[in-house]
Amino acid sequence: MDLTGFELELVTRRAEVSFADAGGQRTRTLTGAAYDRIESAAAALLAAIEMRIGGACHLELTAIGVDTVARVMRVDVGEPEPKRFEAAGYDGLAAAIADVARVAMGEVRQRKPDPAGTASDASFWASLYDVGGDNWELARATPPLARWCETHPVSGLRTLVVGCGRGHEARLLARLGANVVGIDFAPEAVVQARALAAKDNVSIDFRERDLFALRDDPERYDLVVEHCCF
């Protein structure tokens, strides 16, 4: 699950938490005790914001909105235009923002019990996909890989993505011109990865394979990518 943003409405005492998972991009409204826990976690952030806007008596902090993907924060202080914190301004508040994000994520994440079996069984992973226990799902390629690809050309590279899941990293690399093979232990993952690749009109060789069986594989690769597998 990937928390993509949140908004705290301090007057009406409600929080809008945006996140992405296997179900796509969603938003959940939190009030009552859930809101109270988030606002409590936001104390340091609110204090830091007030210091940065000068704490002028005519300014009333009524709401803050954070886009964690674009790394932008909007602050409503009773003026026609909200104040914005981005680039270095956002980075200076990033630690306090992360504290709020962690609590907000805990409020919207519904932890599912682990299925029977062990991680060495394909059925274990299949069950996680079936019951929505795949909390590693971001519904997009992992951001560190996306940033790495901005400065490291992958076009033409023969690339292996191990434990590819639904294939978000594989699709990113394929769109950038890599020749991609994606493998996963869970048949459900491979089925869904193929469907998403077809929807995006990218060509990827998805295989149902055990990565520990690759030691005898004659194929060789220029690049190997792993995310949430090991």
Side-chain angles (χ1 to χ4, degrees), residues 140-227:
R140 60 174 174 145
T142 181
L145 177 64
R147 290 193 296 270
W148 185 84
C149 287
E150 291 174 359
T151 55
H152 296 76
V154 298
S155 181
L157 297 185
R158 183 161 175 77
T159 301
L160 174 67
V161 182
V162 297
C164 65
R166 294 182 175 88
H168 305 305
E169 288 73 33
R171 294 199 310 281
L172 168 67
L173 294 162
R175 287 194 297 267
L176 294 174
N179 301 313
V180 184
V181 174
I183 66 168
D184 202 285
F185 202 26
E188 287 76 7
V190 174
V191 169
Q192 293 180 39
R194 287 171 176 162
L196 288 170
K199 183 178 179 180
D200 284 2
N201 195 30
V202 291
S203 178
I204 301 171
D205 182 2
F206 286 113
R207 305 173 185 176
E208 186 182 332
R209 294 287 304 276
D210 180 350
L211 73 90
F212 295 109
L214 295 181
R215 62 171 60 91
D216 299 322
D217 196 318
E219 296 183 79
R220 294 294 179 264
Y221 300 90
D222 305 305
L223 175 66
V224 177
V225 173
E226 176 276 333
H227 171 61

Side-chain angles (χ1 to χ4, degrees), residues 80-119:
E81 294 295 328
K83 297 186 179 297
R84 290 171 62 87
F85 294 84
E86 47 195 324
Y90 183 98
D91 292 343
L93 296 167
I97 291 171
D99 289 340
V100 184
R102 277 191 291 271
V103 174
M105 179 73 84
E107 294 295 336
V108 299
R109 175 184 283 140
Q110 297 179 343
R111 174 71 181 179
K112 303 293 180 64
D114 286 339
T118 68

